[in-house]
Amino acid sequence: MKKLRKASSILLCLTLSASLLAACGTSKEEGASSAAGSSTAEGVKKDGFPIVDKPITLSVMSQDAGVADWNKMPVLQEMEKLTGIKLTYQLSPIDSFDTKKNLVFASGDLPDIFYGADLKPAEQVTYGSQGVLIPLEKYIDEGYAPNIKKIFDEHPDIRKSFTTPDGHIYALPNIDLSAVWYRSPMWYNGKFLKALNIKELPKTTEELYTYLKRVKEEDPNGNGKQDEIPLTSVKLDDLRMYFLGFFGIYDEEVYADKDGKVHYTPQEEGYKAYLTFMNRLWKENLLDHETFSQTPEQKKAKGQNNQIAVFNDYYPYFTLGGEPSGDNPLMTPVKSEIPGSPVYGKHPGISANGTFAITSKNPAPEATMRWIDYQYGYDGATLFAQGPENLLWKYTNKETHEKEWLPVPGGKERDEFRGTLTPNYGILTPGMNSSELTKGLKTDFDTWIDKENAEKLTPIGKAPFPNVYLTNDEQSEATALLSDLKTYVKQMEGKFVTGQEPMSNWDKYADQLKKMGSDRIVELYQGAYDRWNTGK
């Protein structure tokens, strides 16, 4: 449940810039349910509700967090009443959804709609070009999706980032232009900082090293034992991207620098410097020697035992226990010997994969576009994020969109109860997130997080790479090359960090990457980036 809570918190706490909000229209613009609307194809209205003259039924395939029966979810019941569109559900557990999705594509036994479907760029290109997924831009431009159209017009990069090489849009993203975290960030244990009388957080890799060394030697948890763990991780997957930023790198695989030059991270000098630093920490027992063997639960147990100084998690209290507070500061990315460091790979504001698509089987694409468009405006986004009014929240001022939380029925955790109201829980769903959605609902902790982000990450942040599409042939080639490269890179990272492979063998390793096609990866993604950049 904790994993689900974390995932849904990510969806809830991200906020959208005012300019995007302006682009999304207001509740008045979205039309009251009593509005007559103008009739169009097959009795579908371009505005007002219900969407259709006669009720229709559509099938939806999605991931399921397993918290509640979708047929009984108030949000989906409300949508059926509002729109006149009834849904039937083909749901799979989150961990087996990809397999089920592949089977559905292979069999041709398609749903009408893919929802929260994590449609990868390659899937959009493949199944779009085969006619399995239908192009959506026609319906957007013809007035069936006014909220989406406003967002696209206000932010052309979003449209560009979901337009495939054949000029079509086959899937829609989750949109949040003021999102900051790409992955969960790094935190300091505030009790250790206090015990060691740290007034200013480390600003360089050398200062960070010195701090970790003090944690190891000076018993900051005060139990008389040398059981402190300066830095911990699970297979480096949780900290890698954050730490690479200390060495001028925006992403762990492919990124574009500020000049638009594409890099393959594992062959960069900054990556070599990252490995060298991590190996230094490993040799001096400053990096947890259970990093490559422990589970996330075992890492968390160390945190709750007050043994960890620096760690990764969505929020610090997820690891350390206790209540949300501002006592455990967000780690300030530190500067290394690499010029231009530190940097931070910032969230690009849209999901990398598609969250929504319409299949060729769908008998009512116009009505379906109206249905999904509602979730890209304030009223629909509020409904799907927080449930219907007066269940979990109520307005304190409807005009200004200010709300307050209501007591949670049965004393449950609010977010878990929310998961019984809406499908927007534990999975990334289509729609938009906006600061307007949480007016009046933010806690002091939320405000503190916003301040930490604004001071430490936003000034050095840049999205690592736009959402680009490779052609089918390019995608096949890149997938094959990256499959082998990833395996080799992961294996060698562990060896370099633990000292099984000396750093003196770097050149031999870099040569092997080139033999395996690393330069070709750069070439493929540079081409895709240049096409994206010129809008071709």
Side-chain angles (χ1 to χ4, degrees):
M1 203 49 82
K2 277 181 184 171
K3 273 186 189 170
L4 292 178
R5 277 209 298 280
K6 190 189 298 188
S8 56
S9 296
I10 292 169
L11 307 186
L12 260 185
C13 85
L14 301 177
T15 55
L16 193 69
S17 64
S19 62
L20 179 60
L21 181 69
C24 291
T26 66
S27 54
K28 284 177 187 168
E29 287 167 338
E30 285 174 312
S33 58
S34 60
S38 52
S39 288
T40 59
E42 301 172 26
V44 181
K45 296 172 192 164
K46 283 189 175 175
D47 52 60
F49 294 105
I51 289 169
V52 285
D53 291 340
K54 292 177 186 171
I56 60 171
T57 300
L58 298 171
S59 59
V60 173
M61 181 176 179
S62 187
Q63 309 180 63
D64 184 11
V67 178
D69 180 351
W70 284 36
N71 291 292
K72 294 175 183 171
M73 281 183 180
V75 164
L76 295 170
Q77 291 173 340
E78 184 81 13
M79 278 297 280
E80 184 180 337
K81 275 190 281 184
L82 183 68
T83 63
I85 298 172
K86 180 178 171 57
L87 301 176
T88 59
Y89 305 106
Q90 300 168 20
L91 304 175
S92 286
I94 292 168
D95 56 4
S96 60
F97 178 74
D98 263 358
T99 305
K100 184 72 188 288
K101 181 175 62 173
N102 291 337
L103 286 172
V104 163
F105 276 129
S107 70
D109 186 16
L110 299 166
D112 297 318
I113 297 166
F114 282 105
Y115 182 90
D118 196 34
L119 290 159
K120 293 163 186 63
E123 291 172 329
Q124 295 167 44
V125 169
T126 301
Y127 298 114
S129 62
Q130 289 175 6
V132 176
L133 304 178
I134 68 166
L136 305 179
E137 69 279 355
K138 172 185 169 199
Y139 305 106
I140 295 168
D141 294 334
E142 287 180 1
Y144 293 99
N147 290 310
I148 295 168
K149 180 77 163 65
K150 282 176 185 169
I151 294 170
F152 281 1
D153 289 349
E154 187 77 17
H155 301 278
D157 277 4
I158 297 178
R159 182 173 193 137
K160 204 160 67 169
S161 295
F162 266 75
T163 300
T164 60
D166 63 6
H168 293 305
I169 296 168
Y170 295 111
L172 296 174
N174 176 283
I175 297 172
D176 185 338
L177 288 188
S178 67
V180 177
W181 301 348
Y182 213 150
R183 309 273 171 83
S184 47
M186 305 295 299
W187 306 93
Y188 285 102
N189 181 336
K191 288 178 182 169
F192 284 19
L193 294 172
K194 202 170 179 182
L196 297 174
N197 198 28
I198 301 291
K199 302 292 185 198
E200 208 171 281
L201 297 178
K203 286 193 171 68
T204 66
T205 47
E206 207 51 45
E207 287 175 13
L208 177 60
Y209 165 79
T210 302
Y211 172 68
L212 297 175
K213 192 99 171 142
R214 285 190 65 195
V215 168
K216 186 79 185 159
E217 295 167 355
E218 296 181 31
D219 191 29
N221 68 10
N223 66 358
K225 303 177 194 169
Q226 203 181 59
D227 63 347
E228 288 83 357
I229 299 162
L231 174 66
T232 192
S233 173
V234 177
K235 299 180 175 58
L236 301 178
D237 292 338
D238 45 5
L239 65 72
R240 185 184 300 109
M241 188 156 157
Y242 209 88
F243 270 53
L244 283 169
F246 306 168
F247 304 95
I249 289 174
Y250 287 95
D251 185 72
E252 50 199 273
E253 191 166 74
V254 172
Y255 68 95
D257 60 27
K258 287 173 180 169
D259 299 320
K261 186 181 176 200
V262 173
H263 301 263
Y264 177 63
T265 293
Q267 64 186 18
E268 293 292 315
E269 279 302 307
Y271 185 76
K272 179 184 179 184
Y274 152 78
L275 292 177
T276 304
F277 184 67
M278 298 309 286
N279 172 246
R280 181 188 185 191
L281 300 184
W282 179 274
K283 278 193 298 201
E284 300 196 33
N285 261 329
L286 305 180
L287 172 62
D288 192 345
H289 275 209
E290 291 183 351
T291 283
F292 295 98
S293 58
Q294 70 182 344
T295 64
E297 289 68 32
Q298 287 169 321
K299 180 182 101 168
K300 216 169 277 278
K302 293 171 182 175
Q304 297 189 352
N305 202 31
N306 199 30
Q307 289 178 268
I308 303 172
V310 180
F311 59 95
N312 173 285
D313 210 328
Y314 195 73
Y315 291 134
Y317 68 94
F318 286 0
T319 288
L320 299 177
E323 295 301 311
S325 77
D327 296 340
N328 305 291
L330 181 72
M331 185 185 205
T332 305
V334 295
K335 183 179 175 57
S336 68
E337 70 277 15
I338 300 291
S341 65
V343 299
Y344 176 70
K346 183 177 173 288
H347 196 289
I350 56 174
S351 55
N353 295 334
T355 54
F356 176 89
I358 299 175
T359 74
S360 55
K361 187 191 160 202
N362 189 308
E366 294 92 349
T368 306
M369 281 306 296
R370 282 274 341 260
W371 183 89
I372 194 60
D373 183 64
Y374 188 59
Q375 295 170 48
Y376 287 86
Y378 171 79
D379 285 345
T382 294
L383 176 65
F384 274 78
Q386 294 149 9
E389 189 180 355
N390 296 323
L391 279 180
L392 197 55
W393 62 277
K394 70 174 185 183
Y395 278 113
T396 53
N397 185 332
K398 196 161 187 174
E399 288 298 306
T400 61
H401 293 158
E402 284 170 277
K403 311 178 180 95
E404 68 179 11
W405 291 119
L406 295 171
V408 181
K412 291 182 184 174
E413 274 197 35
R414 183 183 294 125
D415 212 38
E416 258 176 68
F417 179 67
R418 193 180 71 80
T420 66
L421 306 179
T422 176
N424 182 356
Y425 178 82
I427 63 173
L428 194 63
T429 55
M432 67 94 172
N433 293 294
S434 157
S435 55
E436 287 289 295
L437 306 189
T438 53
K439 265 193 176 179
L441 301 178
K442 281 198 168 190
T443 63
D444 290 345
F445 178 68
D446 295 328
T447 306
W448 176 76
I449 292 283
D450 289 345
K451 188 167 177 286
E452 289 285 277
N453 284 335
E455 288 174 4
K456 297 174 179 178
L457 300 182
T458 308
I460 58 166
K462 182 186 89 68
F465 204 67
N467 196 51
V468 302
Y469 292 90
L470 301 176
T471 65
N472 271 327
D473 288 347
E474 288 172 341
Q475 187 64 63
S476 300
E477 186 182 359
T479 301
L481 291 174
L482 285 172
S483 175
D484 291 342
L485 281 164
K486 277 176 187 169
T487 305
Y488 178 65
V489 165
K490 183 92 175 165
Q491 180 188 49
M492 293 303 290
E493 178 188 47
K495 287 184 175 180
F496 279 129
V497 169
T498 58
Q500 285 174 264
E501 189 82 24
M503 286 308 301
S504 56
N505 282 352
W506 168 265
D507 288 345
K508 187 176 149 192
Y509 155 81
D511 286 345
Q512 181 60 24
L513 290 180
K514 289 183 191 302
K515 282 178 191 159
M516 294 174 75
S518 60
D519 286 345
R520 178 61 180 151
I521 290 296
V522 171
E523 200 179 310
L524 287 168
Y525 281 94
Q526 185 72 61
Y529 179 86
D530 292 342
R531 286 197 299 267
W532 175 89
N533 206 29
T534 54
K536 289 177 184 171

